[in-house]
Amino acid sequence: MKLIDDFYALIPAGGSGSRLWPVSRKSRPKFLYDFLDSGQTLLQSTYDRLAGLAGEGHVAVGTGVKHVGPVLEQLPQLVEENIFAEPVGRDSTAVIALAAAVLARRHGDEIVIGSFAADQIIRDRHAFAGSVREAVEVARAGYVTTIGIAASRPSTAFGYIRYGHSLADEIPSAPSSYTVRQFVEKPDAQTAQAYLMTGEYRWNAGMFVMRADVLLNALAEFRPDLFARISRIADAWDTPERDSVVSQQWEGIEKIAFDYAVAEPLSERGGVAMVPGGFGWDDIGDFNSLAALLPSRTNRNLKVLGDADNVISRDSAGDIVVSETERAVALLGVDDMIVVDTDDVLLVAPRARSQEVKQMTAQIAKEGREDLL
């Protein structure tokens, strides 16, 4: 497959994945874990997909300082100068802007930057590559371009993209591209169903492709302080002054998602485009979404990640078991439960409350049990 010469792919790898606790921890966030028992972690799988499009030297990772070691351990082929380490997480805008600013200084400000989260599942790599290639064509034309995922159900777990008119006449090399009318927050169930009925909405997977200069110019306009701080850091990044400038500037950088900082305000003036993605996409956001991706071990819809021989089930259905120990897990007369067994924590919860695992981690932190997080 021919590489895209002017394309640089960034993998933002941050967050603690608190809805997947206690599997996902601060010391080992979910992107470092093989949730599908595939032989590759989510990060490794994401890297392979993007290296096949951009080339290994054109893939960068943005992550926390304390995760640089584990990232390099999992990706020994990663060019070390392409790691952008954040002292403190500042949501997605800061790390995308930093990578774009540094890479623009190294390779020219008309290079195309693509941002793809480290923790997503892509089933059809060939179709994914086609969508990315088309998004690069649209980005070269000056748009911030997102890849909109075909909504297969009225999900309340994802944001949505409402798209507008076709850009095929303006950009013949991207016949599937459209303008973006608006970005919509996670809706309630009734609203999500209404979105699906219109046929005008797609899921927002947070995939963005754009020229570096387009991104940086938008930041300078919409978030001038953030732009100024990132610019100072980027100027010093490849010099001996990097650490001192980062320590001076990073703490004051605004914590804001890329959608809010750039995509939403730019879409209001027609500067954002969308390429549809039909490549089989999933976001492992909680144990319910994980269960949907795992095969059933019995005719009673038991899902197991770990040694299935260590799980014994009787008169139980719809459970998900994640086992990291050699202990046997016995289920008797329990339905639709989450059971996660690790060396130091046992989590038992109804699947219907999987989104509330995040609140459990907040309670643990409040009670001073940081050792469990």
Side-chain angles (χ1 to χ4, degrees):
M1 185 181 292
K2 188 177 185 299
L3 300 179
I4 310 171
D5 292 338
D6 61 343
F7 178 55
Y8 291 78
L10 171 69
I11 305 173
S16 59
S18 54
R19 290 186 180 88
L20 289 162
W21 176 89
V23 177
S24 183
R25 309 281 186 106
K26 288 182 178 179
S27 60
R28 187 193 62 183
K30 65 178 180 176
F31 59 84
L32 296 173
Y33 197 87
D34 179 6
F35 275 103
L36 300 185
D37 203 17
S38 66
Q40 281 192 316
T41 65
L42 297 177
L43 174 65
Q44 289 169 327
S45 181
T46 303
Y47 179 91
D48 283 355
R49 281 196 301 274
L50 295 171
L53 288 166
E56 291 192 344
H58 283 207
V59 180
V61 175
T63 194
V65 169
K66 63 184 177 183
H67 297 133
V68 169
V71 166
L72 284 173
E73 185 177 336
Q74 290 200 2
L75 300 176
Q77 68 274 53
L78 179 66
V79 178
E80 194 163 351
E81 71 171 8
N82 285 349
I83 292 184
F84 296 94
E86 302 177 275
V88 180
R90 284 289 179 263
D91 217 318
S92 54
T93 302
V95 72
I96 295 172
L98 176 61
V102 172
L103 292 172
R105 283 159 173 75
R106 292 175 183 170
H107 308 292
D109 61 8
E110 291 195 0
I111 59 170
V112 176
I113 305 290
S115 175
F116 304 86
D119 56 2
Q120 298 180 350
I121 305 296
I122 305 295
R123 293 190 183 88
D124 187 338
R125 292 194 178 194
H126 180 75
F128 172 77
S131 294
V132 173
R133 289 180 183 277
E134 192 165 353
V136 168
E137 294 288 341
V138 181
R140 286 175 181 150
Y143 290 92
V144 168
T145 310
T146 187
I147 298 177
I149 308 300
S152 59
R153 60 190 185 278
S155 174
T156 61
F158 308 131
Y160 286 73
I161 302 162
R162 186 182 185 189
Y163 59 96
H165 65 267
S166 171
L167 290 170
D169 291 340
E170 179 183 338
I171 313 171
S173 57
S176 301
S177 59
Y178 294 83
T179 59
V180 168
R181 296 173 65 179
Q182 66 179 140
F183 290 86
V184 184
E185 293 298 312
K186 297 176 183 178
D188 59 33
Q190 184 176 358
T191 303
Q193 182 64 52
Y195 287 168
L196 249 63
M197 296 295 289
T198 68
E200 297 177 356
Y201 292 83
R202 285 185 166 248
W203 286 336
N204 179 8
M207 301 179 185
F208 290 99
V209 182
M210 58 245 142
R211 285 202 329 247
D213 60 339
V214 171
L215 165 59
L216 297 172
N217 289 339
L219 271 179
E221 178 181 357
F222 300 130
R223 287 292 187 275
D225 183 71
L226 190 154
F227 171 77
R229 290 179 182 275
I230 288 293
S231 296
R232 294 183 195 114
I233 294 171
D235 287 339
W237 192 261
D238 290 328
T239 77
E241 284 74 46
R242 177 200 295 185
D243 290 345
S244 63
V245 174
V246 168
S247 66
Q248 293 165 15
Q249 299 295 330
W250 196 264
E251 193 66 30
I253 288 177
E254 181 182 10
K255 184 175 183 179
I256 185 170
F258 188 82
D259 297 57
Y260 300 143
V262 174
E264 289 187 7
L266 198 58
S267 69
E268 293 176 2
R269 64 173 67 165
V272 180
M274 184 211 72
V275 169
F279 37 73
W281 171 90
D282 280 288
D283 175 45
I284 303 180
D286 60 19
F287 288 107
N288 261 342
S289 57
L290 173 61
L293 298 172
L294 294 174
S296 294
R297 299 292 184 176
T298 70
N299 60 2
R300 298 183 68 82
N301 198 28
L302 173 66
K303 306 296 186 79
V304 179
L305 180 59
D307 187 353
D309 292 336
N310 263 357
V311 179
I312 305 158
S313 175
R314 180 178 175 83
D315 295 333
S316 302
D319 301 303
I320 175 171
V321 178
V322 181
S323 177
E324 294 188 334
T325 74
E326 295 182 0
R327 283 189 295 267
V329 175
L331 305 172
L332 174 60
V334 291
D335 296 337
D336 299 315
M337 299 294 287
I338 301 163
V339 180
V340 183
D341 187 24
T342 72
D343 287 335
D344 59 341
V345 176
L346 172 65
L347 170 69
V348 181
R351 282 183 55 172
R353 300 183 67 175
S354 62
Q355 286 279 311
E356 296 177 52
V357 174
K358 183 175 183 178
Q359 280 69 51
M360 175 65 78
T361 64
Q363 180 177 334
I364 289 169
K366 186 176 180 180
E367 293 180 5
R369 293 302 309 272
E370 292 288 339
D371 58 304
L372 299 179
L373 301 175

